[in-house]
Amino acid sequence: MSHAVHQRSDLSCPAVTTSAEGLRLSRVVAGMWRMTEWDMAPAQRLSFIEQCMAMGVTSFDHADIYGGYGVEALFGEALALKPSLRAQMQIVSKCGIKLLAASRPEHTIQHYDTSAAHITASVENTLRQLGTDYLDLLLIHRPDPLMDFDEIAATFKRLRGEGKVRHFGVSNFSRHQFEALNRRIALATNQVEFSPLNLAPMFDETFDGLQDLGVAPMIWSPLGGGRLFSGGDAAGERLRAVIGQVAGELQRPFASVVFAWIMQLPCRPVPLTGSGRIEAIAEAVEATQFTLSRSQWFEILRAARGHEVA
Ligand code: NAP
């Protein structure tokens, strides 16, 4: 069910300061993970980036490993067509996973590496691929059983001193892991998976801990990686019906209702989009313009969990 009641030209995504540490991102961030699937020529990639920015979506989420270590170079190739865009956008990237990949024959097992040497080498390669001399935000991609909080904090401070990275954060960290590193260097965000199909951060203290610290989480797979539209299990069926009903009541697109449901949480989640269709980015931005009633919000929670709250 889709209600195209808003023109894209009306849409203007606000910005958000993620924490007292001072990072400014757009309220909706464009995720680049799936860019290789979009099969765009460089000029089409540039056009997509420019259309996002025209709607106020000025922040772009990357990782060294996306597209088998290929997405940053695709983005850099597009950016090179219009370098003046760099100063008006925020680039996020991640490091800490070593994938088995044709371009990395030295990797003999998939593993994590959060050593100073690997973080530094990864950032330098990321900057080369993107064709930029700084990142706005660098995240440790996954908690590493061998991570040393002091070593990571010292490496972050050195990268900031060298002007290569302006802000730091983490991804998929537990509340305790976040707070341990945050005591050593102020972190701007924890990027975690959350959607009506994955409620974990709402119940494992991740969101409570971040709200307490005034740090906005970034949200990956807010639409369940697309499973909200097509997943066959019982929760998916219930959610499709209830979200569709709320979308009808509010006269808003289905995806906008999901983004609004997420952004309504008091920890101020910053959702990532995953689509290469500009219409899908517009539906995410539209979600910054309305809220659900408390009853509508809990109807979606009830459908997600399959039971009432006590
Ligand atoms: P998502 O929004 O949950 O899923 C996007 C998928 O849903 C796309 O394949 C999209 O297909 C599909 N979709 C189907 N109907 C749609 C509709 N009406 N509107 C929008 N999308 C629709 O997000 P995601 O791609 O899984 O993740 C978003 C971003 O999070 C990634 O790009 C990446 O930057 C980040 N991420 C981070 C981590 C981490 O560990 N930190 C992990 C995974 C992802 P179409 O392209 O056809 O629209």
Side-chain angles (χ1 to χ4, degrees), residues 31-34 38 61 66 94 141-142 171-172 191 219-226 229 255 259 272-277 280 283:
M32 298 290 110
W33 176 34
R34 301 175 191 270
W38 303 342
D61 185 74
Y66 285 173
K94 316 185 189 78
H141 207 150
R142 296 258 170 195
S171 184
N172 305 301
Q191 184 178 124
I219 304 301
W220 62 267
S221 292
L223 302 172
F229 300 94
F259 281 99
L272 298 159
T273 59
S275 181
R277 292 177 301 108
E283 288 181 350

Side-chain angles (χ1 to χ4, degrees), residues 67 126 152 207 227 239 244 262 275:
T126 283
I152 294 172
F207 285 166
R227 290 186 313 283
L239 281 163
I262 290 171
S275 181

Side-chain angles (χ1 to χ4, degrees), residues 271-309:
L272 298 159
T273 59
S275 181
R277 292 177 301 108
I278 200 68
E279 294 72 23
I281 313 302
E283 288 181 350
V285 173
E286 187 175 333
T288 64
Q289 302 185 340
F290 68 97
T291 52
L292 284 65
S293 72
R294 206 167 266 256
S295 306
Q296 289 168 330
W297 197 93
F298 275 92
E299 280 163 20
I300 293 175
L301 182 66
R302 179 176 61 187
R305 299 171 89 192
H307 60 81
E308 304 276 2
V309 296

